[in-house]
Amino acid sequence: MILPSRPGSSPTKANAARGRIGVNYKQLPINCPLNPVASFGRDGAMSFFNQGSRPVFASTQDALKLVPRPYNDDNHTIWVGGAVKYVSTPSEIDFDQARSFWTGLSQMDQEHFISNVIGHLGQATNPAIRLKQCKIFAHVNATLGEAIAKGVNVTLPASSD
């Protein structure tokens, strides 16, 4: 379906057409870009090109594997403003909100939280994932991390940094 964009066409007609074909109207061959575009926004109604097994978000667990560019654009990015790709290394400030949340819970709520996490994280079949998540919880609060590690049968190293 070609969306109406001719002069004199009502904007409501275009909105109605988008409403019928969904938010992914740009994936239709008549509306899509000439060159493929990789993005994180690709699921939903009328999605017929979801880019296969590409991740849905930039993960701190597994860094994106970007294809090296066939040219060097370092000078260009510095000249334009020092563009940075994927700054996704967690720092101490990333744990402040989680620590505030944990200390704000009552004893019963903390027990329920631990039980819920154990119930879900315990279903992870990969022990490396369970260990990595337990280290993150231990970084928020040592007691929290130890309780979850015990519940999912993981041994945390002496230093959880």
Side-chain angles (χ1 to χ4, degrees), residues 2-6 9-10 13-14 17:
I2 298 176
L3 298 178
S5 62
R6 61 187 180 274
S9 175
S10 168
K13 288 181 184 175

Side-chain angles (χ1 to χ4, degrees), residues 129-156:
I129 295 292
R130 290 197 310 260
L131 176 62
K132 196 177 280 193
Q133 290 305 119
C134 287
K135 285 180 180 178
I136 292 171
F137 281 116
H139 198 81
V140 171
N141 179 282
T143 308
L144 169 64
E146 284 295 329
I148 293 173
K150 182 180 176 187
V152 297
N153 299 320
V154 168
T155 303
L156 286 174

